[in-house]
Amino acid sequence: MIPYARQSIVTEDVQAVCEVLKADFLTQGPRVPAFEAAVAEYVGARFAVAVSSGAAALHLACLAAGLGEGDWLWTTPNTFVASANCGRYCGAGVDFVDVDPKTYNLSVVALAEKLDKAKASGRLPKVVVPVHFSGQSCDMAAIRELTAPYGITVIEDAAHALGGQYRNTPVGSGAWSDMTILSFHPVKHITTGEGGMVLTNDPALYQKLQWLRSNGVTRDPDQLHGESHGPWYYEQVGLGYNYRMSDLQAALGLSQLQRLDAFVARRRALAERYDALLEGLPLVRPYQAPWQASAWHLYVIKLSLDALTWTRRQVFEALRAAGIGVNVHYIPVHTQPYYRQLGFAWGDFPVAEAYYQRAITLPLYPELTDAQQDTVVQVLCDVLAQAAGGGR
Ligand SMILES: *Cc1c(COP(=O)(O)O)cnc(C)c1O
């Protein structure tokens, strides 16, 4: 089976982790701040806080934004559930903004309309979480412009987009947002096994994120409420969590970061090859907005079902049966039982739902060879020929 995604681990990565195993610190030690500094420099952000997962990064970013009961968080339905769950962790209500039919990212038009209505009804969100789906940046300048008048905190979910650019600026720079979160799950651009990060340019948010990550505890003299009792002294200044990243993970992340540019370059080359090889087939290739350069986490095709007698499920199952590890991103979050129980229903966000009915994610990862990609395309051509001609 050719998987849809896969990590790339080389000898240097293994050595970097083994060195930490023999060193003094297994949990947060010198590699964590080194990894934070390296990622912050890469994206051009002032501060970075490494945490145990992308979901933890979203949770802490929402807490740092002051999100709580009685507040609202808005995100896109076309994302992993974590982008919405972070609002619920804080006791806030979660609502969604439908997607753009071309980019499948949060629609700026829908956002503008929804903000107008929310202003009228007094239900404006405190936090908006745009997700850079598949690695393509949302239109951040437009999102900033729409949300700024209401003082809304913008948290970019860049789990798909490390290494991408928006208006010639690295995703994560924070030029159009308050915080950006990353995930280092093995399918993402660089991995730490499990891991995540919050990036920000705001010193106050940075301070808060640091104690939120470590049980609410700080040793920073600037943050202490009282006089120090001595060299052992620390204070719990708020209610935090143990969301720390270990030095083992940070060492792997630092080693992986050396190859990030090569990973993104290979993903871009493979995406270009797919674009060329899939021309003329009954499917829509991923549209790319001209003001951004995708980091290509996912290559998603949308089947032209009108030209096929088969369903998306039949095409998907035929591809899997032929050894192609296709996947689907995403089941619209509002249709999950947990969110339906909160009042959402099929039909609430029709653009995301129509997209979901047609989408298939093709294999894309740095170690995918041209020959393997040719196999994927050949099998897809055969399956679509059958799907167009009937049979089954
Ligand atoms: C992977 C992912 C996350 C969560 O990251 P974890 O590290 O798995 O917790 C959040 N949002 C999106 C869009 C993701 O793809």
Side-chain angles (χ1 to χ4, degrees):
M1 180 79 77
I2 299 176
Y4 91 90
R6 195 186 146 70
Q7 70 276 18
S8 164
I9 299 290
V10 296
T11 315
E12 287 80 359
D13 296 325
V14 176
Q15 279 170 349
V17 175
C18 287
E19 273 169 35
V20 178
L21 276 172
K22 292 180 255 167
D24 289 338
F25 296 96
L26 296 188
T27 186
Q28 196 169 311
R31 265 89 174 176
V32 169
F35 182 44
E36 289 171 338
V39 175
E41 195 198 326
Y42 183 90
V43 301
R46 276 184 78 189
F47 307 112
V49 177
V51 292
S52 50
S53 69
L58 282 160
H59 185 189
L60 294 195
C62 287
L63 287 172
L67 190 71
E69 253 170 74
D71 295 328
W72 286 91
L73 174 145
W74 290 3
T75 188
T76 164
N78 185 32
T79 186
F80 186 56
V81 293
S83 314
N85 289 346
C86 52
R88 301 294 300 148
Y89 296 156
C90 299
V94 167
D95 202 351
F96 302 91
V97 180
D98 209 347
V99 301
D100 177 275
K102 274 163 82 180
T103 63
Y104 323 136
N105 269 332
L106 186 142
S107 160
V108 168
V109 176
L111 177 63
E113 284 172 10
K114 201 175 173 93
L115 283 170
D116 279 345
K117 282 191 199 148
K119 188 186 172 191
S121 67
R123 265 188 32 173
L124 283 162
K126 184 161 202 161
V127 168
V128 170
V129 181
V131 179
H132 305 313
F133 177 72
S134 78
Q136 166 160 231
S137 176
C138 296
D139 190 353
M140 290 312 303
I143 290 169
R144 190 55 141 184
E145 199 179 308
L146 287 170
T147 53
Y150 306 115
I152 296 167
T153 300
V154 177
I155 301 171
E156 296 177 66
D157 181 338
H160 295 187
L162 179 59
Q165 288 88 27
Y166 171 72
R167 296 195 174 186
N168 296 315
T169 307
V171 169
S173 76
W176 295 273
S177 67
D178 300 283
M179 288 173 272
T180 302
I181 75 94
L182 302 172
S183 164
F184 306 119
H185 181 281
V187 300
K188 308 289 164 65
H189 291 80
I190 61 170
T191 189
T192 60
E194 294 276 6
M197 196 172 273
V198 187
L199 300 156
T200 186
N201 295 315
D202 181 329
L205 290 173
Y206 176 56
Q207 253 195 5
K208 208 169 165 189
L209 288 164
Q210 281 178 300
W211 63 251
L212 281 167
R213 162 180 64 180
S214 274
N215 305 293
V217 163
T218 182
R219 291 189 153 82
D220 179 357
D222 293 341
Q223 292 188 61
L224 297 182
H225 291 215
E227 279 297 305
S228 169
H229 302 176
W232 64 87
Y233 192 66
Y234 61 82
E235 278 181 1
Q236 185 188 347
V237 295
L239 186 60
Y241 298 80
N242 179 356
Y243 278 170
R244 286 188 301 267
M245 174 179 278
S246 73
D247 248 34
L248 294 163
Q249 293 168 306
L252 179 54
L254 269 170
S255 177
Q256 290 259 304
L257 191 61
Q258 308 298 312
R259 307 208 306 294
L260 174 57
D261 285 335
F263 289 159
V264 173
R266 179 61 185 154
R267 286 173 177 276
R268 284 177 174 163
L270 286 164
E272 262 180 49
R273 276 191 100 239
Y274 269 137
D275 279 347
L277 293 167
L278 299 180
E279 198 180 343
L281 291 175
L283 54 83
V284 178
R285 293 166 293 171
Y287 167 81
Q288 293 299 297
W291 32 255
Q292 60 82 44
S294 180
W296 286 105
H297 169 51
L298 303 172
Y299 191 94
V300 177
I301 57 168
K302 206 168 69 170
L303 297 180
S304 304
L305 289 178
D306 292 348
L308 305 175
T309 63
W310 286 12
T311 62
R312 186 268 305 268
R313 180 174 181 157
Q314 285 175 305
V315 172
F316 185 97
E317 286 178 345
L319 290 167
R320 279 275 179 97
I324 310 302
V326 285
N327 211 327
V328 171
H329 298 89
Y330 285 98
I331 304 166
V333 176
H334 68 281
T335 70
Q336 294 291 351
Y338 173 76
Y339 284 97
R340 289 214 309 270
Q341 151 244 306
L342 292 174
F344 294 100
W346 284 99
D348 285 348
F349 302 98
V351 185
E353 292 171 27
Y355 155 80
Y356 166 65
Q357 302 298 344
R358 293 162 179 76
I360 294 181
T361 303
L362 299 182
L364 180 66
Y365 50 93
E367 291 181 7
L368 184 72
T369 65
D370 285 5
Q372 285 173 316
Q373 188 181 32
D374 290 340
T375 302
V376 173
V377 171
Q378 191 52 56
V379 171
L380 180 62
C381 286
D382 293 348
V383 167
L384 289 177
Q386 280 177 277
R392 270 238 257 198

